[in-house]
């Protein structure tokens, strides 16, 4: 009983479990079926979407391939195609730059050839603007690029049309000019033919004249040979005559030198007088001399006066100096410039002498070495030249020391005196400093050599020596007398400042006022 009850209890439990499992299975099957049905619906929906997406992708690829074919890219992928398009646009920019340059060059050639008007320039400017707008467009695409290209082609067509029009005009002008030039060429060709005929005629004529000239040349050659022979004979004779003249001149120079040496050895007879005093006026300080204009005298000539009983002239003690003021045909008037001694005045009959002038012939001088007139240690040869020329003489030859000028003139037997300045006889009153260098020492040595050669040559030519001090005494030079000349410039304001009275001080003004008050007082 107990066993049967346990079996029924187990059976119940088993039935209950079975029922529960059946319910659970049924519920589970329901839910599983429901989920499957929903999943199958979603799968069908996604399959439709996938098919549509695949169709859209195929359409997009087909469209992309069409666009790629329309654009002209070789790459099938996006990035390579994009890079290819960018590279091609860069090449397009470069080629457009070349197009602009070509257009500018064509326009320049047309203008140089004579193209005028504003149409060509406007068309060229439009082409430039089209290129610039294409190159600088920020959002460049296929359609905008085609628009700019079409615009550029239109402008280039305008440029070509303008160039063609100008080319036609130039061609017509060129044809007209060619026609005119051809006419001129024909005229020139005809003239050339005529000139050629004339040239041939002249050539034939000249050939005949050439034959005549050749005959004359042969004759002249024969005459020239004879003349050369005569010239050679005459040259030999001339050389002989020159040698004879040189020998005769040397002999005469020796005679002149001997005569001058004999004259120098005679202390009482050194030179001849140039004139005499014929009238003396101490009131006007003037004298009359028997020197006239016909003898070559002229005003401002300085002369030396010697006593009428002088044993010889020029002596070492002249009586004074005069300066000619008026030169006439019968006599001349002179101003007494200096009198050596008041107890030995100038008298009628006194001798008039000039060391630089003789009647009808001026004295010629040669200056050798340094000439220090005022004994300041510096060369004053220009001053001595002016004094000699003012007295009627001529400086024929000049040999200055280094840094004082260049050698000029030539020694000859016609020179009467050569003047030297011996520093032992006339030492400078002060020492003049001169810098010594190797070059200056060498120049001084060369000068001393040249100086000795010129003194020797002067003595060989018979030229008499004269010391500078002696010549200055005859010229009436006095170191203490200022040389009157013409000023080169005057500072008038400075002269007025120097000559105007000094300003008076307050004390001086007060003193003068007090003195005036005292004068006014009764």
């Amino acid at each position: 009983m107990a066993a049967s009850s346990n079996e029924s209890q187990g059976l119940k439990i088993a039935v209950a479990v079975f029922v529960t499992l059946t319910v659970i299975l049924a519920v589970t099957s329901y839910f599983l079926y429901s989920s499957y049905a929903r999943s199958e619906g979603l799968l069908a929906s996604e399959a439709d979407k996938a098919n549509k997406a695949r169709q859209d992708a195929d359409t997009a690829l087909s469209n992309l391939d069409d666009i790629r074919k329309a654009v002209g890219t070789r790459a099938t992928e996006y990035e390579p195609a994009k890079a290819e398009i960018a590279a091609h646009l860069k090449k397009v920019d470069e080629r457009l730059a070349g197009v602009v340059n070509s257009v500018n060059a064509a326009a320049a050639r047309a203008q140089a050839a004579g193209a005028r008007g504003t149409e060509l320039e406007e068309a060229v400017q439009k082409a430039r603007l089209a290129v610039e707008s294409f190159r600088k467009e920020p959002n460049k695409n296929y359609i905008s690029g085609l628009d700019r290209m079409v615009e550029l082609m239109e402008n280039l067509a305008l440029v070509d049309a303008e160039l063609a029009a100008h080319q036609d005009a130039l061609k017509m002008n060129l044809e007209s000019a060619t026609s005119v030039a051809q006419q001129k060429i024909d005229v020139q060709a005809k003239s050339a033919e005529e000139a050629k005929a004339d040239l041939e005629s002249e050539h034939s004529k000249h050939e005949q004249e050439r034959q005549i000239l050749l005959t004359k040349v042969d004759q002249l050659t024969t005459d020239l040979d004879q003349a050369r022979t005569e010239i050679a004979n005459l040259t030999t004779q001339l050389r002989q005559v020159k040698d004879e003249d040189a020998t005769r001149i040397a002999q005469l120079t020796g005679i002149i030198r001997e005569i001058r040496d004999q004259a120098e050895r005679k202390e009482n007879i050194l030179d001849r007088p140039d004139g005499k005093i014929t009238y003396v006026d101490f009131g006007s300080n003037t004298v009359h001399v028997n020197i006239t204009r016909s003898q070559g005298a002229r005003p401002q000539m300085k002369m030396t006066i010697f006593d009428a009983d002088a044993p010889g002239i020029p002596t070492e003690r002249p009586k004074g100096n005069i300066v000619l003021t008026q030169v006439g045909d019968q006599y001349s008037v002179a101003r007494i410039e200096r009198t050596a001694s008041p107890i030995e005045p100038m008298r009628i009959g006194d001798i008039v002498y000039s060391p630089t002038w003789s009647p009808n012939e001026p004295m010629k001088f040669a200056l050798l070495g340094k000439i220090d007139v005022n004994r300041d240690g510096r060369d004053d040869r220009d001053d001595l030249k002016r004094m000699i020329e003012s007295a009627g003489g001529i400086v024929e030859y000049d040999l200055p020391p280094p840094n004082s000028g260049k050698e000029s003139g030539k020694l000859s037997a016609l020179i009467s005196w050569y003047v030297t300045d011996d520093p032992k006889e006339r030492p400078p009153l002060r020492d003049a400093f001169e810098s010594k260098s190797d070059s200056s020492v060498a120049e001084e040595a060369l000068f001393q050599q040249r100086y000795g050669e010129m003194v020797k040559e002067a003595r060989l030519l018979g030229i008499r020596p004269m010391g500078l001090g002696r010549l200055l005494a005859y010229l009436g030079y006095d170191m203490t007398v200022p040389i009157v000349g013409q000023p080169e410039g005057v500072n008038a304001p400075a002269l007025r400042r120097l000559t105007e009275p000094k300003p008076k001080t307050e004390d001086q003004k007060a003193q003068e006022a007090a003195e005036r008050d005292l004068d006014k007082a009764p």
Side-chain angles (χ1 to χ4, degrees), residues 10-20:
L11 182 61
K12 290 179 181 178
I13 294 169
V15 172
V17 169
F18 177 74
V19 172
T20 302

Side-chain angles (χ1 to χ4, degrees), residues 376-450:
D376 62 348
R378 301 182 182 276
D379 188 85
D380 303 319
R381 60 194 333 100
D382 292 336
D383 296 335
L384 182 61
K385 288 180 181 179
R386 285 192 291 269
M387 285 189 284
I388 291 175
E389 292 172 357
S390 66
I394 298 175
V395 177
E396 190 77 10
Y397 176 76
D398 185 16
L399 178 62
N403 301 324
S404 296
K406 295 183 179 180
E407 182 180 359
S408 61
K410 184 178 181 182
L411 285 178
S412 66
L414 299 177
I415 297 176
S416 301
W417 308 91
Y418 71 88
V419 182
T420 59
D421 185 11
D422 190 354
K424 296 180 180 179
E425 296 179 359
R426 299 180 70 253
L429 300 178
R430 59 171 181 167
D431 295 332
F433 175 75
E434 295 182 359
S435 60
K436 297 292 184 180
S437 61
D438 295 339
S439 59
S440 63
V441 172
E443 291 177 356
E444 183 65 24
L446 293 175
F447 167 73
Q448 291 298 333
Q449 181 181 358
R450 182 64 175 169

Side-chain angles (χ1 to χ4, degrees), residues 87-328:
H88 186 70
L89 288 176
K90 184 177 180 181
K91 291 181 180 179
V92 169
D93 288 342
E94 294 175 355
R95 295 181 66 182
L96 287 177
V99 169
V100 172
N101 295 331
S102 300
V103 170
N104 292 335
R109 287 195 298 271
Q111 291 175 352
R116 298 292 182 270
T118 60
E119 294 81 1
L120 178 60
E121 184 64 28
E122 291 176 356
V124 172
Q125 188 65 25
K126 288 180 180 179
R128 293 174 187 165
L129 292 176
V131 172
E132 291 297 324
S133 62
F134 175 79
R135 296 177 66 185
K136 296 181 178 180
E137 185 175 357
N139 300 321
K140 191 180 301 182
N141 53 42
Y142 179 75
I143 296 176
S144 64
L146 286 178
D147 292 339
R148 296 293 181 270
M149 287 296 177
V150 171
E151 182 181 356
L152 177 60
M153 294 300 296
E154 292 175 352
N155 293 325
L156 290 177
L158 291 175
V159 173
D160 289 339
E162 292 295 332
L163 290 175
H166 287 295
Q167 185 177 3
D168 293 338
L170 291 175
K171 183 177 180 181
M172 294 177 63
N173 293 334
L174 181 61
E175 291 176 353
S176 176
T178 303
S179 177
V180 174
Q182 185 63 39
Q183 295 177 359
K184 293 182 178 180
I185 289 172
D186 295 338
V187 173
Q188 294 295 331
K190 184 177 180 181
S191 300
E193 292 178 356
E194 295 176 354
K196 183 179 180 181
D198 294 339
L199 179 61
E200 292 177 352
S201 176
E202 289 293 328
H203 181 71
S204 176
K205 181 179 178 181
H206 290 167
E207 184 63 27
Q208 296 175 0
E209 293 178 354
R210 178 176 176 274
Q211 295 299 328
I212 296 173
L213 290 175
L214 287 175
T215 304
K216 291 182 179 180
V217 166
D218 293 336
Q219 182 64 35
L220 291 174
T221 302
T222 304
D223 296 340
L224 179 61
D225 293 336
Q226 296 177 358
R228 285 176 177 173
T229 304
E230 294 177 359
I231 290 172
N233 296 331
L234 292 175
T235 302
T236 303
Q237 296 177 7
L238 179 61
R239 188 180 299 108
Q240 294 175 357
V241 172
K242 285 184 176 180
D243 294 338
E244 294 175 358
D245 290 342
T247 304
R248 190 177 298 109
I249 289 172
Q251 294 174 355
L252 293 175
T253 301
I255 294 171
I256 292 172
R257 183 170 62 253
E258 184 178 356
I259 292 173
R260 285 185 175 178
D261 290 341
Q262 292 176 0
E264 288 179 359
R265 286 194 293 268
K266 296 178 181 180
E267 297 180 357
N268 295 334
I269 300 175
L270 298 179
D271 208 342
R272 62 182 180 178
D274 297 327
K276 292 185 179 181
I277 293 178
T278 59
Y279 174 78
V280 180
D281 185 357
F282 293 106
S284 60
N285 201 31
T286 58
V287 296
H288 292 184
V289 294
N290 60 349
I291 297 173
T292 62
R293 183 183 296 109
S294 61
Q295 294 177 333
R298 62 178 184 270
Q300 302 303 320
M301 287 177 56
K302 292 184 178 182
M303 296 187 173
T304 307
I305 306 300
F306 296 93
D307 189 78
D309 299 329
I313 58 167
T315 63
E316 296 298 333
R317 294 184 61 187
K319 296 181 70 174
N321 301 94
I322 62 173
V323 179
L324 297 183
T325 57
Q326 298 179 10
V327 179

